[in-house]
Each structure stands twice: as structure tokens, then as C-alpha cells.
Amino acid sequence: MSKNSYHRRKIYFKFIFLLTAFLVTNLTAQDQKAYNDIYTKTYLDISQKDFPRALKIADSLYSISETPRFKAKSLMLSASLLQQSGDIKKAVGFAVKAGEILKNTDEFVWKAKVSGFLASQYRHLKLFDQSKKYIDETTETIKKIDDQRLVNQTMGFVMQEKAYYEMEHKNYQQSIKMVNDAIKYFELSGQSNPFITASNEQLLGLGYFNLGNYKKSLDYYEKSLEKLEKMPDNFLKALVLNGMANIYLAKKDPVSAKPLIDKAQILAEESPFLSLKNEIYQSSQQYYSLTKDIEKLEESKKKQEAVAEKITNNSSAFINDSYTDLKKSNENIAKTSEHKNTTIIIAFLIMLCGAIYFVIYRKRQQRKFDKIQRIIEEMEPSPSVENYKEDNEEQHSTDIPLVAQIDTQPMMTPETEKKILLKLEKFEQSELFNRNNVSLSYVASYCNTNTKYLSYIVNHYKKKDFKNYINELRVKNVIYKLKNDSQYQKYKISTLAEETGFSSQSKFAAAFRKVTGISPSEFLEHLKSQP
């Protein structure tokens, strides 16, 4: 950084500090509005470009705040920023501190916001019982608010959180209902903040996408983007662009997805928001997989795994530290409550194990998903032989390698070798290999050659013996049908075995696993789970 640049940033920060000091110590309605403007700018704009500076501004706001409301508000700004960066422990710590400051006040709106924030954090950790507890606490606090406008506004945020909760549980219709309820509450409150409106539309877009209604989903994403284009670039804009890209990826339209993925990636790289990075790297992998860009696919996968590991480590650290704190606290409790405390520890350990198991399970499921996607792409069979012409021998001649020049006396002439390879190509494009009586002599006869020559060609060019060669053709063929014909997905595995020429279900399953590394039932389960 140049001296001039450093000097400009230093002056800017001092200006922000002095301005916030003036605003907080002079609490007129106009000053409060300006305070809110700085709060919003720090959260949506500065944090995306200079995260450390955003944290310093939030800390400065706290230092100069003189009332519980402003102190709590500045602490919640820090909590929100830290939550984006994945530091859940510190984020929850700031929120708890804000709650303590508000404890003996009648600031019920901000009490509700604090408990709502904590509900969100425990939802991210998959500790849903704890999350629901804070949601219920928020709902009870709202009942104490006198101003109906603020009641409606706060209920709007509660409905948003409930929508996320239902989304986590894959209750997409219920999630959409909750978002629409949130919109009604915000309208009743007279709230017209374009960012909140855009966030509701983004949530609706995500809900309809998960239901497979791509048209409605795209409509809501476009409405959200239209509002966000008028604001500084932020994490929500990246989520919207990513959501739109996912629609085109689901439609197998990588050309339309590319500019959206590119923009979302740029915003994600600039942002400290770990969950955002994780989502966009996952979408990038789908794009690179669809375009068969293996190098960039691996690069994106490494980035996503690094971010996912950091999220997991942060979550595990928070749970472990919480358990340690709980254990220390319980050591000081009287023996009379020992049984009760033991029960609490056991319950927390169960939740801890459940959370860790869930994280590991999700990671394994993601790896299995990636593996199956690669299998689907790599196991595409050869093109149809419908338009195949014998006179294309010359066209193929440059593609087929000549006999290896290892032996001084080749087994056959290059011309014979080419003819057998061309015949074998026609055989691969047919479904004759699915006959249960297919044999080396049968295929040799089909290729107008003898078994010795055919065996040599298969061993030398297919790099496997005849039995495994036939089994691989059968497996690739059945994968293609399962992927492209939903009727095949309804068949029992025994029927698929019979269809592909195997004498038993066990032999089919063994061959399938040998070729793909997974069982037929796992592959079918994956296909049926896709929207």
C-alpha cells in the first residue's frame, strides 16, 4: 500500500470515528437516522471490501455509545460481521453480551433481535432444539412491544428466520408460506427497506428452485437483483446471482450460467462470508463438471473443501468450547443437583455427537454426490450406430493406433487390426453385449475374425480381459438408460441384471461396483433424490 493510500484511509477512518461519535452523543431523530446509515453502510458495503475496517467501525460505535440500545446495536453489528466470517464463538459472545446489556431495560425490539440472531446461529449449527427455544423466546418478547408498527416489523424478521428453519428441513412449501407471511408483516409495518425486500425475494427464489419451479424462481431472483443493483455490491447479490446460475445449470445451459457464476465468484472472493463462498464454490463445481473443465473443477473443489473444513472447525470449536464451559460450571454446582447436571451434560454430549456426525455425514454425502456425478459423465456410452457407414473406415484410420512396435513379428497386419477395431466399435454401439449368451467366439464371429485375434485386440487396446470388457459395456449402457429414461429407475435391481445379460443379481452388483466403485442401489438412490 502506498503512503498516500494509507494516509487517505487513515483520514477516512478518523472521519467515520468522529462522525459516529457526534451522532451517538446527540440522539435527535435525524442523528439516529445517520447512525443507522453508517450501520448499514458498514454491514453491506465496507465489510465486503475491507472486513477488518468494518470491525473497527463497529467497535468504535460501541466505545462511543452511551445508551443500552446503541451499545447493544453496535455489539450486534460486530456479531453479524463475525458470523459472516465463520467465527461463531465470537459472534454468539457479542450477541450474549448485547442481551446482558438489555436485560433490565424495556428495549423489547432489540431483545427480540438478539434472541432471533441466536436462533439463527444455532440453526446454522444444526442444533434445532436450541434454535427453536430462541425463536419461542423472540415470539414471547414481541408480545411486550407497545408500538404495533414495531411489532409487525419484528414479526417480519421472525417469519424470515422460520422460513430458513423450514428450508433447512426441506419443507419448501412451508418455507415459502413463511416468507409470504414475513412480507405481509413488513407491509403492515410500513417498512420499505429495499434490502429486506430483496432478501425476501431471494428466499422465494430459493424455495421455488428447490421445488423445481424454475420459471417462478427466476422471476423472484430477477426482482431481487433489480433492487440490489441500486446498492453497493454485497453478499446477498452474490447469493442471487448464484441462485440464477443454478437454474441454468439445472437446465443444462452452461452458456447462460457462466456470466452469473463469474460475477458471483468475484463477489465471493472479496467477501469474508464463508457460507457464501461454500455455496458458490459448489455451484462452480457443477458448472465446470458440466463443461468438462477438469482443471478448474479440481481447483474449485479444493477451495470449497478448504472453506467447508474451516466452517466445520469453527462450528466444532464452538460446540467443544460450549461443552467445556458447561462442564466447568457444573463442577461448581452443589451435589444436590448432581443428577440433573449429569443429565444436562449427557444431553449436550448427545447433541455434540449428533452435530459432529451430521457434519461428517454431509461431507461424505457431498463426496458421494461428486463421485456419482463423475460416474454419470464418464460412463456415457458411444454414440448411436444408426447413421454409421462402412465407408467411414478412412475417417477412423487416423484415430486407431497401429500395432505396437514391440515385437519384431506382429500377430497380424495393421490392416487386419484396423478392420477388427472398426467392427468392435460397431459392436460397442449396439446392445448385443446385453445378450446372456455373448461369448468370445460370438463376438469374434461378429467381427469376422478368430478368437485369438479378438482376444489380443481386447487385451491390447481395451486394457482388460474379455469378461471385464463385456461387463464394463453393460454397466455403462445401464447407467445411460437409468440417467435418461425415468422408467428404468422404477425397475428392481434383479430386473436390471436380467436386462443387461447377467445370470444373477449378485453378479450384476459385483460388476457394477467393480466398474464404478459404488453399488447399484446407491446409484439408484442418488438418481431418485435429484429434482
Side-chain angles (χ1 to χ4, degrees):
M1 184 188 298
S2 68
K3 288 184 178 180
N4 288 338
S5 175
Y6 173 79
H7 185 63
R8 282 196 301 270
R9 290 183 64 178
K10 190 173 180 182
I11 291 173
Y12 175 79
F13 184 72
K14 283 183 177 179
F15 170 75
I16 291 292
F17 184 90
L18 292 171
L19 178 59
T20 52
F22 173 78
L23 294 175
V24 178
T25 53
N26 296 274
L27 300 180
T28 64
Q30 182 62 40
D31 292 335
Q32 185 170 335
K33 180 183 181 302
Y35 180 100
N36 291 339
D37 289 343
I38 288 182
Y39 185 105
T40 303
K41 182 175 179 60
T42 303
Y43 180 65
L44 293 180
D45 186 10
I46 298 173
S47 67
Q48 308 300 304
K49 299 170 183 174
D50 192 339
F51 185 72
R53 195 202 316 174
L55 282 176
K56 286 182 180 180
I57 293 173
D59 186 55
S60 297
L61 286 171
Y62 176 76
S63 299
I64 58 181
S65 294
E66 295 182 348
T67 65
R69 178 194 296 180
F70 280 99
K71 283 183 177 293
K73 188 169 183 177
S74 60
L75 287 170
M76 291 308 296
L77 175 57
S78 295
S80 299
L81 294 173
L82 289 163
Q83 180 263 326
Q84 286 190 12
S85 71
D87 196 336
I88 297 176
K89 182 181 177 182
K90 283 187 178 179
V92 169
F94 274 102
V96 169
K97 186 176 179 181
E100 290 171 353
I101 288 173
L102 297 169
K103 190 172 182 180
N104 298 317
T105 71
D106 58 358
E107 296 285 352
F108 299 118
V109 172
W110 273 97
K111 284 182 178 180
K113 288 184 179 182
V114 170
S115 55
F117 177 85
L118 290 169
S120 178
Q121 301 321 298
Y122 283 102
R123 171 174 55 79
H124 288 314
L125 292 167
K126 311 301 178 186
L127 300 176
F128 296 116
D129 288 342
Q130 192 75 355
S131 176
K132 188 175 184 304
K133 171 195 160 191
Y134 280 110
I135 281 284
D136 293 341
E137 183 180 314
T138 305
T139 305
E140 287 301 310
T141 303
I142 290 172
K143 293 177 182 177
K144 300 174 184 177
I145 301 173
D146 295 327
D147 188 333
Q148 189 58 43
R149 182 183 65 83
L150 293 175
V151 169
N152 290 328
Q153 186 181 83
T154 312
M155 278 301 298
F157 289 116
V158 170
M159 289 300 113
Q160 275 190 340
E161 175 55 32
K162 286 186 175 182
Y164 281 113
Y165 183 91
E166 296 297 339
M167 191 83 72
E168 290 276 1
H169 288 79
K170 301 187 186 303
N171 300 326
Y172 303 123
Q173 289 283 13
Q174 187 65 10
S175 176
I176 289 170
K177 180 183 179 303
M178 294 296 181
V179 180
N180 285 323
D181 286 346
I183 291 170
K184 289 175 185 175
Y185 277 116
F186 284 130
E187 286 174 350
L188 288 170
S189 73
Q191 193 287 127
S192 58
N193 187 316
F195 182 80
I196 293 174
T197 306
S199 67
N200 282 326
E201 287 164 344
Q202 183 266 335
L203 257 177
L204 288 170
L206 181 59
Y208 280 112
F209 172 78
N210 284 312
L211 288 173
N213 190 336
Y214 299 146
K215 184 179 184 303
K216 262 195 171 183
S217 176
L218 190 59
D219 286 345
Y220 280 113
Y221 277 135
E222 286 176 344
K223 287 178 185 176
S224 180
L225 186 62
E226 184 180 350
K227 293 176 179 65
L228 292 168
E229 291 286 13
K230 299 173 184 176
M231 306 178 202
D233 287 341
N234 56 70
F235 66 89
L236 184 60
K237 183 176 181 180
L239 283 174
V240 170
L241 291 167
N242 191 60
M244 294 170 72
N246 282 333
I247 293 172
Y248 289 116
L249 291 174
K251 291 180 174 183
K252 309 296 183 188
D253 182 2
V255 174
S256 299
K258 186 179 188 309
L260 299 165
I261 285 280
D262 289 345
K263 289 178 186 176
Q265 277 187 322
I266 291 170
L267 293 177
E269 294 292 350
E270 292 176 348
S271 173
F273 206 154
L274 290 182
S275 296
L276 171 68
K277 292 177 188 287
N278 192 49
E279 282 195 38
I280 289 174
Y281 290 150
Q282 286 179 344
S283 299
S284 298
Q285 287 177 55
Q286 291 183 48
Y287 171 76
Y288 295 133
S289 178
L290 196 60
T291 56
K292 302 190 185 306
D293 191 334
I294 305 302
E295 186 177 340
K296 287 192 176 179
L297 173 64
E298 289 301 319
E299 181 184 339
S300 182
K301 190 174 180 182
K302 285 179 183 177
K303 287 182 179 181
Q304 187 263 327
E305 286 178 349
V307 169
E309 184 177 0
K310 191 170 182 180
I311 292 171
T312 301
N313 290 341
N314 287 339
S315 300
S316 299
F318 172 75
I319 295 172
N320 288 334
D321 289 346
S322 297
Y323 168 69
T324 301
D325 293 342
L326 179 65
K327 185 177 177 183
K328 287 178 180 177
S329 175
N330 285 337
E331 287 173 354
N332 299 324
I333 295 176
K335 289 182 179 180
T336 53
S337 61
E338 185 175 325
H339 178 72
K340 180 181 177 181
N341 292 333
T342 302
T343 304
I344 292 172
I345 293 173
I346 291 172
F348 197 91
L349 278 171
I350 291 171
M351 289 195 307
L352 170 62
C353 292
I356 293 173
Y357 174 80
F358 183 84
V359 170
I360 294 171
Y361 174 78
R362 284 291 296 272
K363 207 165 185 178
R364 285 178 178 171
Q365 287 297 99
Q366 183 62 41
R367 286 174 180 168
K368 184 185 286 187
F369 176 87
D370 292 341
K371 183 177 183 180
I372 292 174
Q373 287 298 111
R374 285 197 297 273
I375 289 167
I376 290 173
E377 292 160 10
E378 293 169 3
M379 292 292 168
E380 289 286 347
S382 302
S384 171
V385 75
E386 182 179 342
N387 297 319
Y388 185 88
K389 296 180 180 178
E390 284 290 340
D391 62 0
N392 69 357
E393 181 173 341
E394 183 179 348
Q395 172 190 336
H396 284 274
S397 63
T398 57
D399 299 328
I400 299 174
L402 299 176
V403 175
Q405 301 299 316
I406 297 174
D407 300 325
T408 54
Q409 295 294 326
M411 178 174 285
M412 66 194 88
T413 65
E415 290 73 24
T416 302
E417 195 170 76
K418 289 177 187 177
K419 287 178 181 178
I420 296 172
L421 283 166
L422 286 168
K423 279 287 187 180
L424 199 59
E425 182 180 335
K426 281 189 68 176
F427 173 79
E428 290 175 353
Q429 293 165 342
S430 73
E431 289 193 8
L432 295 173
F433 46 78
N434 283 333
R435 294 186 176 186
N436 56 17
N437 61 348
V438 70
S439 63
L440 181 64
S441 58
Y442 172 86
V443 180
S445 176
Y446 178 91
C447 294
N448 297 325
T449 187
N450 57 54
T451 55
K452 184 178 179 182
Y453 278 11
L454 178 61
S455 182
Y456 170 81
I457 291 292
V458 171
N459 292 337
H460 190 73
Y461 289 104
K462 307 301 178 182
K463 305 300 181 186
K464 52 183 68 68
D465 60 29
F466 180 79
K467 178 184 174 182
N468 286 315
Y469 166 63
I470 293 297
N471 284 350
E472 182 172 301
L473 290 177
R474 290 170 170 177
V475 169
K476 289 173 70 173
N477 183 251
V478 79
I479 285 175
Y480 178 80
K481 289 179 177 177
L482 286 168
K483 177 189 171 187
N484 294 284
D485 188 346
S486 58
Q487 187 63 33
Y488 267 79
Q489 296 178 23
K490 299 175 184 176
Y491 289 177
K492 293 181 178 178
I493 293 175
S494 58
T495 305
L496 292 174
E498 186 178 347
E499 283 270 320
T500 48
F502 286 94
S503 58
S504 69
Q505 180 177 327
S506 61
K507 288 183 179 179
F508 168 68
F512 195 101
R513 184 178 286 279
K514 185 171 184 178
V515 173
T516 66
I518 60 173
S519 68
S521 57
E522 287 177 307
F523 186 81
L524 277 168
E525 184 182 344
H526 168 79
L527 288 181
K528 290 175 182 177
S529 70
Q530 299 306 297

